[in-house]
């Protein structure tokens, strides 16, 4: 089984990161947005689980199913590097609104952690690449 950053670890790292952001730039909006984005990005795993197994499936199997390769397709649409320039542009257009910047930083932190620890192929966290490969799990996470 490959190493995986679990939800608990994302909560801790996002919490520490958001605390550091708050100390550097005392904006509660920035810190809270960063924390929530860094943790709630994982909601796309729930969407994939429902697509794969149905809404009335065995949710006790939820955490094991992804880690043990039980998916026929992996979409995880929020786990994509393509969101970073989009969020960066939205932050810039919005005059660097603290909430938008916080979302950008939280998502970026989450993706960096996942990219480094989840055994993804080089482009495994690129939505367009996963689409080109038919969302085949073994292509993104060999």
């Amino acid at each position: 089984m490959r190493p995986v950053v679990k939800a608990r670890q994302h909560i801790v790292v996002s919490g520490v990161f958001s605390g550091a952001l708050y100390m550097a730039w005392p904006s509660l909006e920035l810190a809270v947005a960063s924390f929530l984005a860094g943790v709630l990005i994982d909601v796309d795993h729930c969407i994939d689980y429902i697509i794969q197994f149905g809404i009335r499936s065995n949710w006790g199997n939820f955490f094991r199913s992804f880690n043990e390769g039980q998916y026929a397709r992996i979409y995880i649409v929020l786990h994509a590097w393509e969101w970073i320039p989009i969020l960066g542009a939205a932050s810039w257009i919005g005059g660097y609104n603290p909430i938008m910047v916080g979302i950008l930083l939280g998502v970026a932190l989450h993706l960096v952690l996942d990219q480094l620890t989840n055994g993804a192929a080089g482009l495994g966290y690129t939505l367009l690449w996963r689409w080109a490969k038919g969302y085949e799990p073994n292509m993104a996470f060999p």
Side-chain angles (χ1 to χ4, degrees):
M1 184 184 330
R2 61 184 161 265
V4 175
V5 175
K6 296 184 178 3
R8 183 178 318 126
Q9 293 161 317
H10 277 301
I11 291 168
V12 169
V13 172
S14 291
V16 169
F17 182 70
S18 297
L21 285 175
Y22 185 77
M23 289 173 32
W25 297 280
S27 168
L28 189 59
E29 294 171 316
L30 173 75
V32 170
S34 174
F35 175 77
L36 290 175
V39 173
L40 296 179
I41 186 176
D42 277 335
V43 74
D44 62 1
H45 289 290
C46 296
I47 296 166
D48 276 13
Y49 188 78
I50 290 169
I51 290 170
Q52 182 70 38
F53 302 105
I55 199 160
R56 296 177 188 241
S57 59
N58 175 6
W59 283 89
N61 186 45
F62 174 73
F63 291 105
R64 280 191 323 274
S65 63
F66 188 80
N67 298 338
E68 294 177 0
Q70 297 177 13
Y71 284 76
R73 300 280 174 265
I74 298 286
Y75 301 103
I76 50 175
V77 296
L78 298 178
H79 285 73
W81 287 111
E82 290 91 339
W83 291 114
I84 300 304
I86 293 168
L87 291 169
S91 295
W92 178 68
I93 290 167
Y96 298 105
N97 174 288
I99 294 173
M100 284 305 305
V101 173
I103 292 170
L104 167 64
L105 294 174
V107 168
L109 175 66
H110 189 105
L111 289 173
V112 167
L113 289 174
D114 280 359
Q115 184 75 52
L116 294 175
T117 62
N118 288 348
L123 297 174
Y125 281 106
T126 306
L127 189 58
L128 293 174
W129 185 82
R130 287 195 309 265
W131 171 71
K133 302 294 182 182
Y135 302 103
E136 172 62 42
N138 292 327
M139 296 299 290
F141 303 97

